Amino acid sequence: MAMNLESWALFTATEAALSLSPGPAVMMVVAYGIARGWRTSLFVSLGILTGNAIYFAVSATGIGSLILASPKVFMAIKYLGAAYLVYLGLSAIFGKPSPLTISKLDGVALSGSKIFSSALMLQLMNPKTLLMFVAILPQFIDPREPVGVQMLILAACSIIPEFFILLGYGMLASKASHWATQERYAVITERIAGTLVTGAGIMVALV
């Protein structure tokens, strides 16, 4: 058990370090934090973390290894995800109505479920995330102990700290959101947020 505690602590530190490094997920949280405030960025965080939870389940069942064994499936998922993010980003940059835009919505309430779905798609269509889970997780699994219980503990060790890290990014970004919804700044805000999300898509495609 002592060895497990040390292993889980190391896994938590590793996951926290990876979560702190800017990547597509962080860029999307920051984009929504700037455009809509930290409360809206929570939907992004929840979508990303739900994607992580799914990847934990996929890794535990061995399906992840099967996906990674097929280069065509891997690349298809990768480029579909990247294309979707670039579409969202460009829509905001050019002022077309999307989950990021403010000026074209005319006061219509933003759908939290749509933001959640976009973030979930970002995470699920980023094969790098699956690769990380499949490559890293086995190093922290003790085959002498029940694997299912260990997976649940490791999932908690990953998801809980990442939630607070993403929350922190969203709250920092929302410092600028007090002027983001003002009409004269809305278009600028959309272009900044759109550029960040487009950059996330490009990162998914190139990494």
Side-chain angles (χ1 to χ4, degrees), residues 170-192:
M171 293 183 76
L172 286 173
S174 73
K175 297 288 186 182
S177 68
H178 69 282
W179 51 261
T181 54
Q182 296 179 27
E183 186 175 351
R184 57 179 173 170
Y185 296 125
V187 173
I188 297 174
T189 301
E190 289 163 13
R191 288 175 179 169
I192 292 172

Side-chain angles (χ1 to χ4, degrees), residues 35-122:
R36 297 285 180 171
W38 71 269
R39 289 180 177 84
T40 300
S41 75
L42 277 175
F43 289 104
V44 181
S45 298
L46 292 174
I48 289 166
L49 296 175
T50 299
N52 285 352
I54 292 172
Y55 271 137
F56 268 102
V58 166
S59 300
T61 59
I63 296 174
S65 298
L66 293 176
I67 294 174
L68 293 175
S70 173
K72 289 183 179 179
V73 173
F74 185 95
M75 297 305 292
I77 294 174
K78 178 176 181 176
Y79 290 122
L80 279 173
Y84 179 71
L85 288 177
V86 170
Y87 163 76
L88 277 182
L90 292 179
S91 293
I93 290 171
F94 292 105
K96 297 179 181 179
S98 80
L100 278 174
T101 55
I102 295 172
S103 60
K104 301 294 183 181
L105 293 179
D106 298 325
V108 176
L110 191 67
S111 169
S113 61
K114 182 173 286 189
I115 297 172
F116 175 89
S117 299
S118 298
L120 177 61
M121 186 172 292
L122 159 70

